[in-house]
Amino acid sequence: MFRKNILLLLLTLFVSGEVFSQKNNSVFSKKKTKERTSQSTTNKVSKDKKYISNKARLDTEDGSIFIGEYIEENDNSITLKLLTDDIITFDKENINKARTPLNSIVLNKGRFHRTSGLFLHYNIGFNGGESGAGFMGDIGLGYRLGHRIDLQAGIGFLGTTVSNPFLQWNSPYRTFYPLYAGARYNFTNGSCRIFATGKAGYSNVLNPDGNGWAWRGDTFEVSGGAYFEPGVGVAFAGKRAGRTEISLTQIFQYSDISFESRDDFNNLISGQGNMWIRRIGLRLTTTIN
C-alpha cells in the first residue's frame, strides 16, 4: 500500500511537472510571438510614410549626391532605398546636407522645397497704377512652420509718383520705407508651388527739401502710415540653397498729405488731407535657406 502511494505521488508530480513545463513553454511562446508582432508593427509604421514626398536627397562630405526613397532615420544614420533597389545606410557624420521628408519636399532630379527652419529673403520689383509708378524691394527673415505656412518679417522701400489734382504741373516721386510682418500659405507642393501671401506694417517716408518746381512754388508733403500688401505667386524648386519666386501683389499705403500750389491766375491753393496710395506690384524674390 505504501509503495502504491509512493508511485501515485511520483506519478502526480511527474504529470504536474509536465503540465507546468507546457504552461511555461506556452507563456514564453506567446511572449516571443508578441515581441515579433511588435517589431513587425514598428517596421510597418516606419515604412508607412505619410509625407508629401517619400524621396530624400543626401549630399555627402565627399561631394556625392544620393537620391532615393526615405526608409528610416535615427540619431546616427539615415537609410535610403535607391533606384537600383539597393538599401544603403549613411552615417550622419558623413552627410553634409540631408533633405528628407522631415525638412523638405524632394522632387525629381534632386530639386526640393524646404519645409522647416529659418531663411533669408530679398526681392526687387516695380509697381504701377493709373496715377503713378516706381521701383520697390525688401529684405528680411522668415521661418517655415511646415509645408503649408511660412512666417516673414522685413524692411523695404516703395518708390512711386504720387499725383494730386491740385498740383497741375507736378507729380512728385516719394519713397516709403515699410517695416512689416507677414505670412505665406502654400497651396501646392509640386516643382512650381502656388502660394498666397500677406504683409502688414507701418511705413516712414522722407520728404526732400525743394520738393516742387521752384518757378511755381509747389510743395507737396506726405507722411508715413499703415501698409498692407496681399498677393499671390509661384515658387520654383531648386537644387541648391537659393529659390526663385514671382509674385503679383496689391499695395495699399496710407498717407496724410499737405500741399501748396498756385492756379493759372496765380491764386494760392493749399490744403491737407489723407489718401490711400494703391499700386499693383510685381516682385522677383530669392530665398536662401
Side-chain angles (χ1 to χ4, degrees):
M1 189 67 170
F2 177 78
R3 289 180 179 179
K4 288 183 179 181
N5 291 335
I6 292 295
L7 290 174
L8 182 60
L9 177 61
L10 291 175
L11 181 61
T12 302
L13 291 174
F14 177 79
V15 171
S16 299
E18 286 295 318
V19 172
F20 179 77
S21 176
Q22 290 178 4
K23 286 184 178 180
N24 282 343
N25 288 337
S26 176
V27 171
F28 290 138
S29 177
K30 288 182 180 179
K31 285 184 178 179
K32 289 180 181 179
T33 301
K34 286 183 179 179
E35 288 177 359
R36 285 195 295 269
T37 303
S38 175
Q39 290 174 0
S40 175
T41 302
T42 302
N43 290 335
K44 184 178 180 181
V45 169
S46 66
K47 292 180 181 180
D48 185 16
K49 311 294 191 304
K50 295 182 180 179
Y51 308 121
I52 295 171
S53 170
N54 290 336
K55 290 184 179 180
R57 168 181 161 170
L58 304 182
D59 297 11
T60 61
E61 293 288 351
D62 64 359
S64 300
I65 298 176
F66 295 88
I67 302 171
E69 181 185 349
Y70 181 72
I71 301 299
E72 62 182 359
E73 179 177 351
N74 56 42
D75 293 337
N76 301 315
S77 63
I78 300 175
T79 301
L80 298 186
K81 181 180 180 181
L82 304 183
L83 184 63
T84 58
D85 287 337
D86 295 320
I87 296 178
I88 302 179
T89 298
F90 298 84
D91 292 333
K92 286 188 174 180
E93 62 182 12
N94 297 324
I95 298 174
N96 182 26
K97 294 179 181 178
R99 283 95 177 186
T100 73
L102 301 180
N103 58 40
S104 302
I105 301 173
V106 179
L107 304 166
N108 294 333
K109 299 181 180 180
R111 294 185 176 88
F112 62 93
H113 297 285
R114 294 283 293 183
T115 58
S116 66
L118 194 68
F119 63 93
L120 170 71
H121 62 90
Y122 59 92
N123 66 67
I124 193 73
F126 63 89
N127 62 84
E130 182 180 353
S131 58
F135 295 95
M136 62 183 184
D138 66 48
I139 186 170
L141 294 175
Y143 190 83
R144 299 183 178 93
L145 297 179
H147 70 281
R148 290 293 186 194
I149 300 176
D150 302 342
L151 301 180
Q152 298 180 1
I155 186 171
F157 71 92
L158 169 65
T160 187
T161 54
V162 183
S163 65
N164 185 309
F166 299 102
L167 300 179
Q168 300 179 21
W169 305 101
N170 193 4
S171 293
Y173 189 90
R174 294 291 180 266
T175 303
F176 297 86
Y177 300 93
L179 181 66
Y180 68 87
R184 187 175 88 173
Y185 186 86
N186 300 295
F187 292 102
T188 60
N189 300 303
S191 57
C192 298
R193 303 184 81 188
I194 299 173
F195 63 85
T197 183
K199 302 175 183 176
Y202 186 89
S203 296
N204 287 315
V205 64
L206 179 64
N207 288 289
D209 294 332
N211 56 13
W213 287 1
W215 67 273
R216 288 192 57 86
D218 288 350
T219 62
F220 184 74
E221 293 188 354
V222 299
S223 73
Y227 162 83
F228 303 98
E229 187 176 356
V232 294
V234 179
F236 302 96
K239 291 185 176 181
R240 295 179 176 82
R243 294 289 174 280
T244 301
E245 303 172 1
I246 297 176
S247 57
L248 183 67
T249 66
Q250 173 67 65
I251 301 163
F252 299 91
Q253 175 63 60
Y254 181 84
S255 182
D256 294 321
I257 63 172
S258 63
F259 61 90
E260 275 190 12
S261 183
R262 291 185 178 275
D263 63 15
D264 294 336
F265 301 98
N266 203 32
N267 295 314
L268 179 65
I269 302 172
S270 64
Q272 295 180 343
N274 53 65
M275 63 187 303
W276 281 100
I277 301 170
R278 293 178 294 177
R279 300 289 184 268
I280 298 294
L282 181 65
R283 293 184 183 272
L284 179 63
T285 302
T286 298
T287 62
I288 300 177
N289 300 319

mmCIF file of all heavy atoms in Angstrom, residues 158-177:
data_model
loop_
_atom_site.group_PDB
_atom_site.id
_atom_site.type_symbol
_atom_site.label_atom_id
_atom_site.label_comp_id
_atom_site.label_asym_id
_atom_site.label_seq_id
_atom_site.Cartn_x
_atom_site.Cartn_y
_atom_site.Cartn_z
ATOM 1 N N LEU A 158 9.413 101.468 -51.049
ATOM 2 C CA LEU A 158 8.361 101.570 -52.049
ATOM 3 C C LEU A 158 8.418 102.964 -52.647
ATOM 4 O O LEU A 158 8.040 103.940 -52.004
ATOM 5 C CB LEU A 158 6.984 101.308 -51.419
ATOM 6 C CG LEU A 158 5.762 101.640 -52.272
ATOM 7 C CD1 LEU A 158 5.692 100.754 -53.507
ATOM 8 C CD2 LEU A 158 4.485 101.521 -51.440
ATOM 9 N N GLY A 159 8.937 103.068 -53.840
ATOM 10 C CA GLY A 159 9.017 104.352 -54.516
ATOM 11 C C GLY A 159 7.940 104.461 -55.571
ATOM 12 O O GLY A 159 7.719 103.525 -56.348
ATOM 13 N N THR A 160 7.251 105.598 -55.605
ATOM 14 C CA THR A 160 6.191 105.781 -56.587
ATOM 15 C C THR A 160 5.888 107.264 -56.745
ATOM 16 O O THR A 160 6.141 108.068 -55.832
ATOM 17 C CB THR A 160 4.910 105.038 -56.162
ATOM 18 O OG1 THR A 160 3.951 105.099 -57.211
ATOM 19 C CG2 THR A 160 4.335 105.596 -54.890
ATOM 20 N N THR A 161 5.386 107.640 -57.895
ATOM 21 C CA THR A 161 4.902 109.007 -58.081
ATOM 22 C C THR A 161 3.515 109.124 -57.474
ATOM 23 O O THR A 161 2.701 108.203 -57.562
ATOM 24 C CB THR A 161 4.850 109.369 -59.572
ATOM 25 O OG1 THR A 161 4.073 108.398 -60.273
ATOM 26 C CG2 THR A 161 6.247 109.398 -60.166
ATOM 27 N N VAL A 162 3.271 110.239 -56.815
ATOM 28 C CA VAL A 162 2.009 110.470 -56.134
ATOM 29 C C VAL A 162 1.347 111.689 -56.781
ATOM 30 O O VAL A 162 1.824 112.813 -56.632
ATOM 31 C CB VAL A 162 2.221 110.706 -54.628
ATOM 32 C CG1 VAL A 162 0.875 110.865 -53.923
ATOM 33 C CG2 VAL A 162 3.019 109.566 -54.018
ATOM 34 N N SER A 163 0.288 111.479 -57.496
ATOM 35 C CA SER A 163 -0.382 112.581 -58.173
ATOM 36 C C SER A 163 -1.388 113.248 -57.248
ATOM 37 O O SER A 163 -1.942 112.615 -56.344
ATOM 38 C CB SER A 163 -1.083 112.092 -59.433
ATOM 39 O OG SER A 163 -2.134 111.199 -59.092
ATOM 40 N N ASN A 164 -1.593 114.517 -57.483
ATOM 41 C CA ASN A 164 -2.559 115.294 -56.724
ATOM 42 C C ASN A 164 -3.273 116.211 -57.711
ATOM 43 O O ASN A 164 -2.627 116.921 -58.478
ATOM 44 C CB ASN A 164 -1.828 116.116 -55.647
ATOM 45 C CG ASN A 164 -2.791 116.864 -54.738
ATOM 46 O OD1 ASN A 164 -3.680 117.574 -55.199
ATOM 47 N ND2 ASN A 164 -2.604 116.719 -53.434
ATOM 48 N N PRO A 165 -4.592 116.226 -57.727
ATOM 49 C CA PRO A 165 -5.307 117.025 -58.730
ATOM 50 C C PRO A 165 -5.051 118.523 -58.615
ATOM 51 O O PRO A 165 -5.278 119.266 -59.563
ATOM 52 C CB PRO A 165 -6.779 116.700 -58.450
ATOM 53 C CG PRO A 165 -6.811 116.205 -57.052
ATOM 54 C CD PRO A 165 -5.515 115.496 -56.851
ATOM 55 N N PHE A 166 -4.541 118.984 -57.456
ATOM 56 C CA PHE A 166 -4.300 120.410 -57.279
ATOM 57 C C PHE A 166 -2.895 120.825 -57.725
ATOM 58 O O PHE A 166 -2.608 122.007 -57.811
ATOM 59 C CB PHE A 166 -4.517 120.811 -55.813
ATOM 60 C CG PHE A 166 -5.918 120.559 -55.343
ATOM 61 C CD1 PHE A 166 -6.213 119.451 -54.568
ATOM 62 C CD2 PHE A 166 -6.948 121.415 -55.712
ATOM 63 C CE1 PHE A 166 -7.517 119.229 -54.145
ATOM 64 C CE2 PHE A 166 -8.244 121.189 -55.289
ATOM 65 C CZ PHE A 166 -8.534 120.086 -54.508
ATOM 66 N N LEU A 167 -2.021 119.831 -57.945
ATOM 67 C CA LEU A 167 -0.680 120.129 -58.450
ATOM 68 C C LEU A 167 -0.706 119.875 -59.954
ATOM 69 O O LEU A 167 -0.460 118.763 -60.405
ATOM 70 C CB LEU A 167 0.368 119.261 -57.754
ATOM 71 C CG LEU A 167 0.467 119.420 -56.229
ATOM 72 C CD1 LEU A 167 1.523 118.482 -55.673
ATOM 73 C CD2 LEU A 167 0.793 120.859 -55.853
ATOM 74 N N GLN A 168 -0.986 120.907 -60.712
ATOM 75 C CA GLN A 168 -1.242 120.710 -62.130
ATOM 76 C C GLN A 168 0.011 120.319 -62.907
ATOM 77 O O GLN A 168 -0.064 119.623 -63.912
ATOM 78 C CB GLN A 168 -1.849 121.985 -62.723
ATOM 79 C CG GLN A 168 -3.165 122.372 -62.076
ATOM 80 C CD GLN A 168 -3.730 123.656 -62.667
ATOM 81 O OE1 GLN A 168 -3.377 124.042 -63.772
ATOM 82 N NE2 GLN A 168 -4.611 124.315 -61.933
ATOM 83 N N TRP A 169 1.170 120.772 -62.445
ATOM 84 C CA TRP A 169 2.383 120.574 -63.233
ATOM 85 C C TRP A 169 3.395 119.678 -62.531
ATOM 86 O O TRP A 169 4.528 119.583 -62.969
ATOM 87 C CB TRP A 169 3.029 121.936 -63.527
ATOM 88 C CG TRP A 169 2.104 122.880 -64.193
ATOM 89 C CD1 TRP A 169 1.417 123.897 -63.617
ATOM 90 C CD2 TRP A 169 1.749 122.881 -65.567
ATOM 91 N NE1 TRP A 169 0.642 124.541 -64.537
ATOM 92 C CE2 TRP A 169 0.831 123.943 -65.750
ATOM 93 C CE3 TRP A 169 2.102 122.086 -66.667
ATOM 94 C CZ2 TRP A 169 0.261 124.232 -66.984
ATOM 95 C CZ3 TRP A 169 1.546 122.397 -67.901
ATOM 96 C CH2 TRP A 169 0.636 123.449 -68.045
ATOM 97 N N ASN A 170 2.997 119.026 -61.461
ATOM 98 C CA ASN A 170 3.982 118.289 -60.677
ATOM 99 C C ASN A 170 3.370 117.007 -60.107
ATOM 100 O O ASN A 170 2.349 117.064 -59.433
ATOM 101 C CB ASN A 170 4.506 119.160 -59.529
ATOM 102 C CG ASN A 170 5.744 118.565 -58.892
ATOM 103 O OD1 ASN A 170 6.254 117.557 -59.341
ATOM 104 N ND2 ASN A 170 6.217 119.224 -57.857
ATOM 105 N N SER A 171 4.005 115.864 -60.387
ATOM 106 C CA SER A 171 3.654 114.585 -59.746
ATOM 107 C C SER A 171 4.901 114.098 -59.019
ATOM 108 O O SER A 171 5.749 113.431 -59.612
ATOM 109 C CB SER A 171 3.198 113.560 -60.787
ATOM 110 O OG SER A 171 1.979 113.960 -61.364
ATOM 111 N N PRO A 172 5.056 114.477 -57.766
ATOM 112 C CA PRO A 172 6.311 114.178 -57.056
ATOM 113 C C PRO A 172 6.511 112.684 -56.845
ATOM 114 O O PRO A 172 5.554 111.921 -56.719
ATOM 115 C CB PRO A 172 6.148 114.909 -55.727
ATOM 116 C CG PRO A 172 4.671 115.028 -55.547
ATOM 117 C CD PRO A 172 4.087 115.178 -56.907
ATOM 118 N N TYR A 173 7.787 112.299 -56.790
ATOM 119 C CA TYR A 173 8.170 110.916 -56.536
ATOM 120 C C TYR A 173 8.542 110.811 -55.061
ATOM 121 O O TYR A 173 9.400 111.539 -54.578
ATOM 122 C CB TYR A 173 9.355 110.531 -57.416
ATOM 123 C CG TYR A 173 9.701 109.062 -57.403
ATOM 124 C CD1 TYR A 173 9.122 108.187 -58.320
ATOM 125 C CD2 TYR A 173 10.615 108.540 -56.484
ATOM 126 C CE1 TYR A 173 9.434 106.843 -58.322
ATOM 127 C CE2 TYR A 173 10.932 107.190 -56.474
ATOM 128 C CZ TYR A 173 10.346 106.352 -57.402
ATOM 129 O OH TYR A 173 10.670 105.010 -57.404
ATOM 130 N N ARG A 174 7.916 109.881 -54.359
ATOM 131 C CA ARG A 174 8.190 109.688 -52.935
ATOM 132 C C ARG A 174 8.539 108.222 -52.675
ATOM 133 O O ARG A 174 8.015 107.320 -53.334
ATOM 134 C CB ARG A 174 6.981 110.087 -52.081
ATOM 135 C CG ARG A 174 6.664 111.572 -52.133
ATOM 136 C CD ARG A 174 7.749 112.381 -51.442
ATOM 137 N NE ARG A 174 7.460 113.799 -51.485
ATOM 138 C CZ ARG A 174 7.920 114.611 -52.429
ATOM 139 N NH1 ARG A 174 8.662 114.129 -53.423
ATOM 140 N NH2 ARG A 174 7.632 115.900 -52.386
ATOM 141 N N THR A 175 9.404 108.039 -51.702
ATOM 142 C CA THR A 175 9.827 106.678 -51.335
ATOM 143 C C THR A 175 9.415 106.396 -49.897
ATOM 144 O O THR A 175 9.835 107.103 -48.970
ATOM 145 C CB THR A 175 11.342 106.495 -51.484
ATOM 146 O OG1 THR A 175 11.717 106.794 -52.837
ATOM 147 C CG2 THR A 175 11.742 105.062 -51.164
ATOM 148 N N PHE A 176 8.609 105.356 -49.717
ATOM 149 C CA PHE A 176 8.186 104.900 -48.399
ATOM 150 C C PHE A 176 9.075 103.732 -47.960
ATOM 151 O O PHE A 176 9.554 102.953 -48.794
ATOM 152 C CB PHE A 176 6.720 104.455 -48.431
ATOM 153 C CG PHE A 176 5.757 105.563 -48.778
ATOM 154 C CD1 PHE A 176 5.483 105.870 -50.105
ATOM 155 C CD2 PHE A 176 5.120 106.281 -47.782
ATOM 156 C CE1 PHE A 176 4.602 106.878 -50.435
ATOM 157 C CE2 PHE A 176 4.231 107.304 -48.098
ATOM 158 C CZ PHE A 176 3.976 107.606 -49.435
ATOM 159 N N TYR A 177 9.249 103.614 -46.640
ATOM 160 C CA TYR A 177 10.107 102.554 -46.091
ATOM 161 C C TYR A 177 9.293 101.727 -45.094
ATOM 162 O O TYR A 177 9.262 102.029 -43.899
ATOM 163 C CB TYR A 177 11.339 103.155 -45.417
ATOM 164 C CG TYR A 177 12.185 103.974 -46.366
ATOM 165 C CD1 TYR A 177 11.996 105.345 -46.493
ATOM 166 C CD2 TYR A 177 13.161 103.359 -47.148
ATOM 167 C CE1 TYR A 177 12.768 106.089 -47.372
ATOM 168 C CE2 TYR A 177 13.942 104.093 -48.037
ATOM 169 C CZ TYR A 177 13.731 105.459 -48.141
ATOM 170 O OH TYR A 177 14.493 106.192 -49.022
#
